[in-house]
Amino acid sequence: MPAAAQSGTIAGEIVDAQTGGSLPGATVRIDGTLFGTAADLEGRFRLPGIPAGPVVLIVSYVGYDTKEVSVDVLSGDRVNAKIALEAEVVRGEEVIVTAQLVGQTQAINSQLSSNTIVNVVAPERIQELPDQNAAEAVGRLPGVSIQRDAGEGTKVVIRGLSPKFNAITVNGERIPSTDSEDRSVDLSMISPDVLAGIEVFKALTPDKDADAVGGSVNFVIRKAPDGRKGSLLAQVGYNDHESAYGQFKGSAFISDRFLDQQLGVLLTGSAQRADRSSDVIDVEYEFIRGPREGEEHALINVGKLNLADRLETRDRYSASATLDYQLTSGGLLYNSFWGRTDREEIRRRKRYRVSDGRTEYELRDQSIDITLLTNSLSGWHHVGMFDVEWRTSLSRTSRHVPFAHTARFQELAAFNNDLIDDQGPQIIPNGAKLDLDRTWFQFATQATENVADQDVTGQLDLKYPFGIGNSIRGFIKAGAKYRDKTRDRDRNELQTPFAEVDNIGQDNPD
């Protein structure tokens, strides 16, 4: 009889015995053999090619009691098992400690069971933390930092590499760039309320995009749990910096499963308004010379000092629809995600260019709209000994600047140098002359910009597990991916004649 006919498949789900929630990253192995696997982010597992007959499954999960389950494997058949684990309890004379934080436990198990360098933010952890957007949630992981704009996280830096070297995906699908200058992605438009988990891969593997030199961040969208569920969250806030009310954040979701729990439908939505106004100070120093005899320190002067008053309001909206259908040997998943951020900004800035002997006064007023839309259809199937995964998607981003205006004035010979030499930044404004008679209009610009980026992708992966006796287990994986990318940028700018300061000293400058 062929070997395939003398073996069967064990598949199922690992859940928490008390809550019924999935346990991603749980390890499942067959006692006395090297047959084993790890559960995915939804707690599902599959062990193909198991020799027919009685076997014992050993299921383990950090923070839970290990469980042994007896299973009879039938030739050419599939055995389904739903295994519930109990939280581990450590008892002392006076204290009872039960498990760990659920979110932390799930993340640790997912990382331990991964075959690459990966960090995971579990769904419970996302809900526990008061992060304003997806970038803030990712920034909590080791080896990951975030770039901030007006105090809010926007882009991620993995292993010290620029955001343009990272790949950002939603359910495995690449998000096109939202930046007008490079291929980085602004994550502030993605609300944590729609996420079921975040995975950060810090090493390239053959099944990852080759241009993700820094790493890959994958946002997993929530799927419908068992039964009809829903939630509504509303928050209001006060901005002490601007003494302003009107801050709010709201999110809602509703889900249900139909057709004997095979079809799941999940709808989510969120809206937020945040006042991101701020006062900014930044300084650049210049090394003038080393210390002379009798001097304790080298001579270092302030080269530039920038003071800014920034008024900005950000409105953020998102919505998603997810449908999943569970097949006998696999499943289908459709997801549509839409996100948008509207920014209104006025910035007043005074720039002390001490080393150049001038002061600049600048005003900027602009509006920016950033939109993200992803649509994807994917499936996973178990065909004989093969695991087949496929995915097709259409993703679009747009950055629209309907109005951007900048005006700058400049004052030359703007400092009393005897007051500011070898002094700290707090002294610079005291040494400024603030002579309006020597302050001239330098230039002004008015611009509009549209940047559109679109990806159309198709992907197919095949995985074939193999074994040599009970001692060697492995798999062979192969796949292909097609991506068609289109990017357009259209910028229109009007600018006055530059450097009107050339007219200084003329009686009647034109």
Side-chain angles (χ1 to χ4, degrees), residues 388-423:
V388 181
E389 294 186 15
W390 57 270
R391 182 183 294 115
T392 181
S393 71
L394 169 64
S395 301
R396 294 176 178 173
T397 60
S398 66
R399 176 186 172 91
H400 176 48
V401 182
F403 175 79
H405 174 261
T406 302
R408 182 183 296 174
F409 293 80
Q410 187 178 83
E411 175 190 358
L412 298 182
F415 301 101
N416 298 305
N417 290 331
D418 56 326
L419 297 180
I420 62 175
D421 282 345
D422 196 20
Q423 300 293 317

Side-chain angles (χ1 to χ4, degrees), residues 67-87:
K67 188 171 185 177
E68 296 185 1
V69 180
S70 298
V71 177
D72 287 326
V73 180
L74 304 178
S75 297
D77 200 359
R78 167 180 167 140
V79 179
N80 294 313
K82 188 170 185 178
I83 303 171
L85 300 183
E86 296 281 352

Side-chain angles (χ1 to χ4, degrees), residues 233-500:
L233 171 68
Q235 299 174 333
V236 295
Y238 171 77
N239 186 295
D240 184 66
H241 185 273
E242 295 299 315
S243 301
Y245 293 94
Q247 326 300 305
F248 66 85
K249 180 180 181 182
S251 63
F253 89 88
I254 184 171
S255 68
D256 203 352
R257 301 200 72 88
F258 308 92
L259 304 178
D260 195 25
Q261 302 295 308
Q262 286 184 292
L263 175 63
V265 179
L266 172 66
L267 303 176
T268 71
S270 68
Q272 179 186 17
R273 169 167 290 180
D275 192 319
R276 290 295 172 185
S277 302
S278 60
D279 296 326
V280 181
I281 177 172
D282 60 81
V283 186
E284 294 183 17
Y285 293 90
E286 294 181 344
F287 179 81
I288 305 302
R289 58 171 173 78
R292 294 174 178 172
E293 185 177 353
E295 294 181 341
E296 184 178 357
H297 303 292
L299 181 61
I300 300 176
N301 283 352
V302 174
K304 298 178 183 179
L305 170 65
N306 297 325
L307 302 177
D309 175 26
R310 182 173 182 171
L311 306 175
E312 182 175 358
T313 301
R314 296 184 183 180
D315 293 328
R316 181 177 298 113
Y317 313 94
S318 67
S320 71
T322 304
L323 286 78
D324 68 279
Y325 190 80
Q326 301 298 325
L327 302 172
T328 303
S329 298
L332 301 173
L333 174 67
Y334 169 78
N335 173 256
S336 180
F337 175 81
W338 172 83
R340 179 183 173 96
T341 299
D342 297 337
R343 300 170 52 178
E344 299 288 341
E345 176 194 1
I346 297 177
R347 186 187 68 183
R348 299 184 289 261
R349 184 166 64 170
K350 181 180 287 188
R351 314 200 309 176
Y352 298 95
R353 296 297 187 252
V354 181
S355 57
D356 297 327
R358 69 175 189 266
T359 299
E360 297 174 349
Y361 305 84
E362 186 177 275
L363 174 66
R364 185 176 73 183
D365 182 7
Q366 66 177 357
S367 300
I368 303 176
D369 307 326
I370 304 175
T371 304
L372 164 67
L373 176 64
T374 66
N375 291 281
S376 66
L377 177 64
S378 60
W380 58 97
H381 311 277
H382 310 304
V383 183
M385 291 293 291
F386 284 93
D387 291 341
V388 181
E389 294 186 15
W390 57 270
R391 182 183 294 115
T392 181
S393 71
L394 169 64
S395 301
R396 294 176 178 173
T397 60
S398 66
R399 176 186 172 91
H400 176 48
V401 182
F403 175 79
H405 174 261
T406 302
R408 182 183 296 174
F409 293 80
Q410 187 178 83
E411 175 190 358
L412 298 182
F415 301 101
N416 298 305
N417 290 331
D418 56 326
L419 297 180
I420 62 175
D421 282 345
D422 196 20
Q423 300 293 317
Q426 68 276 9
I427 303 299
I428 302 302
N430 297 332
K433 295 180 180 179
L434 303 178
D435 187 354
L436 295 181
D437 291 335
R438 298 190 64 83
T439 300
W440 298 80
F441 174 72
Q442 188 178 19
F443 73 90
T445 64
Q446 183 167 319
T448 61
E449 184 178 59
N450 287 289
V451 179
D453 209 331
Q454 174 178 291
D455 284 355
V456 178
T457 62
Q459 181 174 330
L460 176 66
D461 293 320
L462 300 175
K463 182 177 178 181
Y464 179 79
F466 68 90
I468 302 176
N470 290 331
S471 302
I472 300 176
R473 305 298 298 175
F475 63 85
I476 299 174
K477 190 173 183 180
K481 184 174 183 178
Y482 169 81
R483 182 170 69 183
D484 179 75
K485 186 174 189 65
T486 304
R487 180 176 172 88
D488 296 314
R489 182 186 181 192
D490 181 20
R491 180 176 177 87
N492 297 303
E493 182 175 302
L494 299 175
Q495 181 171 298
T496 62
F498 192 78
E500 290 293 326

Side-chain angles (χ1 to χ4, degrees), residues 109-162:
N109 280 277
S110 296
Q111 292 165 190
L112 289 175
S113 61
S114 175
N115 59 0
T116 185
I117 304 176
V118 61
N119 292 114
V120 178
V121 183
E124 281 78 9
R125 195 66 170 170
I126 294 174
Q127 302 302 319
E128 290 171 3
L129 301 173
D131 295 318
Q132 295 296 312
N133 59 55
E136 300 277 358
V138 178
R140 296 180 180 274
L141 293 173
V144 178
S145 58
I146 56 177
Q147 293 184 353
R148 295 185 177 273
D149 184 17
E152 182 180 35
T154 56
K155 300 177 181 180
V156 295
V157 176
I158 302 176
R159 297 187 298 128
L161 294 179
S162 170

